[in-house]
Amino acid sequence: MSYPYQIRSAEQYQAAYKKSVDHPEEFWSDVASHFQWRKPWDKVLEWDFKKPTIKWFSGAKLNITENCIDRHLEKLGNKPAIIWEPNDPEEYHRVLTYRELYNKVVQFANVLKNNGIRKGDRVCIYMGMVPELAIAVLACARIGAIHSVVFGGFSAQSIADRLQDAKAEFVITCDGAYRGNKEIPLKGVIDDALVQCPFVKRVIVLTRTRTAVSMIKGRDVWWEDEIKKVETQGNPDCAAEEMDAEDMLFILYTSGSTGKPKGVVHTCGGYMVYTNYSFVNVFQYQPGEVFFCTADIGWITGHSYIVYGPLSAGATSLLFEGVPTWPDAGRFWDVVDKHKVNTLYTAPTAIRSLMGFGLGPVEKHDLSSLKVLGTVGEPINEEAWHWYDEHIGKKKCPIVDTWWQTETGGILISNMAGITPGIPSFATLPLPGVQPILVDENGKEVEGNGVSGNLCIKFPWPGMLRTTYGDHERCRQNYFATYDNLYFTGDGCLRDENGNYRITGRVDDVLNVSGHRIGTAEVENAINMHTGVVESAVVGYPHDIKGQGIYAYVIYQGSSDHDDKLVRQDIAQTVARIIGAIAKPDKIQFVSGLPKTRSGKIMRRILRKIAEGETDKLGDTSTLLDPSVVEEIKNGKL
Ligand code: 6R9
């Protein structure tokens, strides 16, 4: 596979960028012409950020799986599409060639059809990181069903919320999942979720851990039995459903500053073109290389850079079931060594946690296959950047710091490996087709260099979200209403003297804990459900490994002789039940009141400063209704 649109020099980057701004339609139709379409588009782009309407390649017909699999069969049929490294290094790894992946995807697509799943149906996928997860995702795409993958760390309640929101009648799961020394009972969690979702018609269960599970007659079926049925039916093929470029490909739920998580919708044509384009250019992928993205497919990073980006480019994508610290803190390096990984794409939180184990675990392994390193999910601090550069990349691998979001579908701001320079803690420059702009609180553009502001994007790119599922107004409100005619990212940003972008973190009430997005409102709602809790306020605070930790101020009026430590644990347990363990507060401080303005708004700015330990820098407190509350909180203990 060759990539005629792969940028190979800084000059080419400048030229491509210029063309993408001056003639965006021509630019993207050139890129798109290198994909397989059943019917070409009538119009490259139609857009209006006010509504918003965003349509790329309208009228075109395609199936993304023909681009991710079928078109590679002739030349890459025997080449590895997926290398799967299991949780336990003693278990055999698996390699699926493009031919094998094809066979498995069409087979499972037939299973989906046999189970009554049709184009447009929503299918919730709740699985561990096994190859069948990628197969399930692709099989949905093959028949035009809309997948909604839910990360294995979310609770039954979170799954139920998502199933209801997406009105999903089908679920694909595993009996259980392995993660380090833990076994997670996925089917059991699904069973709990389904108590609230009687509309779910079918649950397909893959065997992984062989944990005992309940299987309800008429609703639950085993993956393996269904495959056998397809085999005896003797139809080894499954024609790909012809999809409109703007038909939905998937829904992925993500946290915002208000309410429950929203279902970000991506569509077939633009998402395919953009994930492929960004993959090939940012990582400078070359045919035959092994690409290892350590994210879970339950997050957007896994969707775009384990499944769709790499496979549409005919790449070899490594899918890892385990965790970086099990059986020991050298596991990533062991995987890199064992599979001769060329590109490693991970999160700053993982790097920081591994730094803590010193160089011992690194030095045991040969990392000489590495050519490119990447980071994503949160700002990377300079210390972690340098450690990654020196000890993992041995100062010879460019590091790409890739800024993007669930909503953007693919990487928007990043250096390109070896093509444009990396700068520690800077995402650097926008990709071709991406037009960032900084604005002040009033929505006025902040022009020139050496400035900062809120990061917005002023022109559409093919990978952007189209709506939030079932509630288009929410999409408008969230992303397109803050500033006129701009997509608002929710991030603060600095543009240095040379025009390089540095993302400084969220400016809304979204936390970034170990690279995972968590809304403070969501955590507060969960805490408030705990018996005895009157009110709570949640803020982030700097955490050495997680980037941000969760700090909760709680007004509690439970029994008078309660044990603070136990109540803290109980509250954390409630949060784990309602959202998932990833949202458990790191610190809980009991308070008798919260700092509020006279109009009743919680002054989070003050709570944030206290959580950060900067009690002498509270700023203007003159609008406080009751200043004594602040004194109490400042002097309070955890
Ligand atoms: C891909 C992904 C999006 C939020 C985003 C920002 C933060 C992601 C970053 C980064 C600084 C980077 N973020 N990459 N901040 N530098 N390279 O992570 O999507 O889970 O939706 O999170 O993550 O704050 O707004 P998502």
Side-chain angles (χ1 to χ4, degrees):
M1 180 113 202
S2 66
Y3 316 113
Y5 44 86
Q6 190 174 50
I7 289 163
R8 301 294 286 152
S9 67
E11 295 69 39
Q12 281 180 22
Y13 163 74
Q14 293 300 345
Y17 191 80
K18 186 168 185 322
K19 175 151 189 201
S20 77
V21 173
D22 295 343
H23 306 286
E25 299 200 15
E26 199 183 312
F27 177 84
W28 286 114
S29 68
D30 280 352
V31 175
S33 69
H34 298 285
F35 293 77
Q36 200 171 302
W37 304 85
R38 296 255 188 108
K39 174 179 172 289
W41 47 91
D42 305 318
K43 190 144 181 33
V44 181
L45 171 64
E46 286 164 67
W47 69 291
D48 176 355
F49 275 179
K50 287 208 187 318
K51 288 189 172 128
T53 347
I54 301 115
K55 286 187 185 161
W56 283 94
F57 312 114
S58 329
K61 303 282 183 194
L62 78 155
N63 185 289
I64 197 167
T65 69
E66 289 185 333
N67 285 275
C68 288
I69 313 175
D70 305 43
R71 70 165 169 159
H72 305 315
L73 290 177
E74 195 186 326
K75 291 204 176 111
L76 302 173
N78 297 321
K79 295 276 189 268
I82 292 177
I83 298 176
W84 176 68
E85 173 65 21
N87 180 58
D88 183 346
E90 305 280 304
E91 190 183 339
Y92 280 114
H93 71 273
R94 280 167 65 186
V95 177
L96 291 178
T97 63
Y98 272 94
R99 169 62 61 189
E100 288 162 335
L101 180 65
Y102 173 85
N103 291 339
K104 296 215 176 281
V105 168
V106 294
Q107 203 177 35
F108 194 63
N110 281 323
V111 166
L112 297 179
K113 281 191 186 167
N114 281 348
N115 281 280
I117 305 176
R118 298 284 173 267
K119 178 175 178 177
D121 287 343
R122 277 81 53 221
V123 180
C124 168
I125 304 180
Y126 186 68
M127 297 171 82
M129 284 284 283
V130 287
E132 287 77 8
L133 168 52
I135 290 165
V137 161
L138 292 163
C140 285
R142 184 106 185 147
I143 66 165
I146 300 163
H147 58 75
S148 176
V149 184
V150 177
F151 172 62
F154 281 113
S155 70
Q157 184 60 50
S158 293
I159 298 167
D161 291 343
R162 286 158 172 73
L163 284 167
Q164 285 163 3
D165 188 79
K167 299 182 190 65
E169 295 174 332
F170 304 94
V171 176
I172 306 171
T173 189
C174 303
D175 49 357
Y178 296 119
R179 268 183 82 74
N181 57 9
K182 290 200 205 97
E183 214 181 290
I184 299 148
L186 296 180
K187 174 62 164 65
V189 178
I190 288 291
D191 290 337
D192 289 344
L194 294 197
V195 173
Q196 296 178 53
C197 305
F199 51 85
V200 169
K201 291 185 194 154
R202 184 70 82 241
V203 182
I204 303 176
V205 187
L206 177 85
T207 309
R208 172 67 183 124
T209 55
R210 301 189 67 83
T211 323
V213 292
S214 126
M215 293 291 284
I216 301 298
K217 192 186 294 167
R219 188 193 71 186
D220 302 348
V221 295
W222 290 106
W223 174 300
E224 295 78 7
D225 291 347
E226 296 303 297
I227 293 284
K228 279 198 202 104
K229 280 188 209 159
V230 168
E231 279 169 349
T232 49
Q233 280 166 355
N235 178 11
D237 241 330
C238 176
E241 188 75 31
E242 188 168 286
M243 304 294 283
D244 196 277
E246 283 297 335
D247 278 340
M248 283 188 202
L249 175 63
F250 66 85
I251 306 170
L252 187 58
Y253 284 85
T254 191
S255 296
S257 46
T258 54
K260 288 193 172 163
K262 36 188 187 295
V264 168
V265 170
H266 285 287
T267 57
C268 298
Y271 177 82
M272 168 181 79
V273 170
Y274 197 76
T275 51
N276 177 293
Y277 182 82
S278 52
F279 171 73
V280 160
N281 280 299
V282 170
F283 301 104
Q284 289 289 306
Y285 183 83
Q286 301 305 321
E289 290 180 348
V290 177
F291 184 82
F292 177 17
C293 166
T294 70
D296 191 288
I297 293 178
W299 307 110
I300 191 68
T301 306
H303 281 62
S304 301
Y305 300 108
I306 295 179
V307 182
Y308 290 112
L311 296 181
S312 66
T316 298
S317 182
L318 195 148
L319 201 154
F320 175 44
E321 186 183 34
V323 295
T325 48
W326 191 83
D328 60 52
R331 189 65 196 282
F332 273 0
W333 324 128
D334 179 43
V335 176
V336 168
D337 189 354
K338 178 169 167 188
H339 300 290
K340 300 294 161 228
V341 167
N342 303 111
T343 302
L344 174 69
Y345 187 33
T346 194
T349 186
I351 299 168
R352 287 191 301 263
S353 98
L354 294 174
M355 278 167 71
F357 293 89
L359 294 179
V362 181
E363 282 162 356
K364 286 201 200 97
H365 303 281
D366 175 9
L367 303 182
S368 61
S369 57
L370 286 174
K371 288 185 182 170
V372 173
L373 302 176
T375 89
V376 60
E378 49 174 322
I380 182 165
N381 49 312
E382 296 208 19
E383 199 191 349
W385 194 98
H386 286 295
W387 190 86
Y388 202 30
D389 181 38
E390 259 168 57
H391 302 295
I392 307 306
K394 319 287 180 197
K395 293 205 153 192
K396 62 177 185 51
C397 301
I399 299 177
V400 289
D401 180 350
T402 66
W403 173 83
W404 58 296
Q405 312 176 295
T406 306
E407 295 84 347
T408 70
I411 299 163
L412 293 198
I413 305 183
S414 173
N415 50 316
M416 293 187 180
I419 304 295
T420 56
I423 308 168
S425 84
F426 278 77
T428 73
L429 298 173
L431 263 63
V434 176
Q435 301 187 32
I437 147 168
L438 302 184
V439 296
D440 64 20
E441 293 87 73
N442 306 317
K444 205 170 153 301
E445 176 166 7
V446 186
E447 285 173 274
N449 286 344
V451 294
S452 38
N454 290 345
L455 178 62
C456 295
I457 316 285
K458 66 176 175 198
F459 195 85
W461 63 100
M464 74 186 299
L465 88 162
R466 302 297 196 263
T467 188
T468 48
Y469 192 81
D471 193 349
H472 192 63
E473 173 57 16
R474 194 167 176 208
C475 170
R476 193 188 67 80
Q477 276 288 342
N478 257 290
Y479 306 106
F480 299 92
T482 318
Y483 305 113
D484 215 22
N485 276 322
L486 299 175
Y487 165 79
F488 176 44
T489 64
D491 279 315
C493 182
L494 174 153
R495 185 165 53 217
D496 77 0
E497 293 303 335
N498 302 314
N500 287 298
Y501 291 86
R502 174 189 207 168
I503 313 299
T504 48
R506 302 288 304 197
V507 293
D508 53 9
D509 290 320
V510 173
L511 306 180
N512 193 325
V513 181
S514 301
H516 302 151
R517 265 166 79 166
I518 299 173
T520 52
E522 258 179 282
V523 183
E524 287 165 7
N525 289 340
I527 293 175
N528 295 349
M529 286 174 75
H530 192 80
T531 182
V533 171
V534 179
E535 199 181 0
S536 64
V538 165
V539 297
Y541 71 98
H543 186 288
D544 283 349
I545 292 179
K546 298 180 179 185
Q548 269 189 313
I550 303 180
Y551 197 120
Y553 298 90
V554 177
I555 306 176
Y556 179 77
Q557 289 178 357
S559 64
S560 54
D561 61 344
H562 71 263
D563 172 336
D564 275 6
K565 192 168 161 241
L566 277 177
V567 176
R568 280 197 189 96
Q569 285 175 5
D570 292 345
I571 290 175
Q573 199 54 31
T574 297
V575 174
R577 275 252 161 238
I578 302 299
I579 306 175
I582 54 171
K584 276 191 192 177
D586 298 275
K587 293 184 180 175
I588 296 176
Q589 181 178 348
F590 294 112
V591 296
S592 64
L594 293 167
K596 289 189 179 172
T597 60
R598 285 184 191 92
S599 59
K601 271 187 86 172
I602 296 175
M603 293 185 75
R604 287 163 193 287
R605 178 176 53 82
I606 293 179
L607 293 175
R608 239 176 261 131
K609 285 285 173 210
I610 297 175
E612 285 164 8
E614 299 191 333
T615 45
D616 52 335
K617 296 187 191 133
L618 297 186
D620 182 11
T621 53
S622 60
T623 52
L624 271 174
L625 180 64
D626 176 7
S628 72
V629 169
V630 174
E631 283 312 304
E632 182 219 300
I633 297 178
K634 264 166 56 177
N635 300 326
K637 287 198 308 282
L638 283 180

